[in-house]
Amino acid sequence: MDDVLQEASLVMWRKIDQLQADDEFIPWARMVLRFEVLKYRRSCSRDRLLLDDDLVALIAIEAKDETSDYVQEQRTAIRACLGRFSPEHQKLLLAPYTREEAVKEMAEAAGKTANSLYKRLGRLRTKLHDCVRMQLGTTS
């Protein structure tokens, strides 16, 4: 099964330009993985130990529902935790996701080195991660 995941990852890298919006990544990745699993199942169709196609579809539907709820919980926790940071820290946390050079530009504007800002960003990400874990009640 690791081979299927690896192949799905490669397919996603090759087809990443098909992704139209960042928030569509999970459904898109799920679809790519589903097709890779189906392709793998076809290649192993002679094996009597495979699950029935209807059962696989049912498992996929249930997993999607659980994943969707969890993703929504994560988003809510992230928003709540981001709200606890100062506007300056929020801007720094979100900068790498806006433009590739955003952190460097922020460093220049503040008269600091990019390295120092990346170190601060790392510490802020750790605090954000810990806050989200607390919000979700997880320990991993």
Side-chain angles (χ1 to χ4, degrees):
M1 197 49 123
D2 288 342
D3 292 341
V4 176
L5 290 174
Q6 187 169 3
E7 185 60 32
S9 295
L10 292 172
V11 169
M12 285 184 241
W13 275 113
R14 285 194 304 265
K15 296 184 176 190
I16 194 73
D17 59 325
Q18 292 178 355
L19 188 62
Q20 295 178 0
D22 291 342
D23 62 343
E24 295 175 2
F25 178 78
I26 297 290
W28 176 77
R30 189 178 290 123
M31 180 189 65
V32 170
L33 184 57
R34 181 173 185 265
F35 284 126
E36 288 304 310
V37 168
L38 290 173
K39 188 167 81 173
Y40 173 77
R41 285 180 44 78
R42 277 192 305 272
S43 71
C44 297
S45 63
R46 291 185 195 100
D47 190 346
R48 291 182 289 154
L49 299 176
L50 288 179
L51 299 175
D52 177 73
D53 287 341
D54 293 334
L55 181 58
V56 171
L58 180 62
I59 291 169
I61 290 169
E62 288 183 14
K64 180 180 179 183
D65 291 342
E66 289 176 19
T67 302
S68 296
D69 291 344
Y70 185 68
V71 168
Q72 188 58 41
E73 288 175 22
Q74 285 180 319
R75 287 180 179 161
T76 301
I78 290 169
R79 284 188 196 106
C81 289
L82 271 174
R84 295 179 182 175
F85 288 90
S86 70
E88 177 188 345
H89 286 168
Q90 288 179 24
K91 185 177 177 183
L92 180 58
L93 280 162
L94 297 174
Y97 306 102
T98 58
R99 288 186 333 276
E100 194 171 314
E101 301 292 319
V103 175
K104 291 178 184 176
E105 292 170 6
M106 288 175 69
E108 288 175 12
K112 299 181 180 184
T113 67
N115 192 38
S116 69
L117 233 51
Y118 278 113
K119 286 181 181 178
R120 181 183 296 169
L121 177 59
R123 290 189 299 271
L124 291 172
R125 283 179 171 168
T126 299
K127 288 181 181 180
L128 179 62
H129 179 259
D130 292 344
C131 177
V132 169
R133 280 184 27 215
M134 292 288 291
Q135 287 282 320
L136 295 174
T138 60
T139 57
S140 57

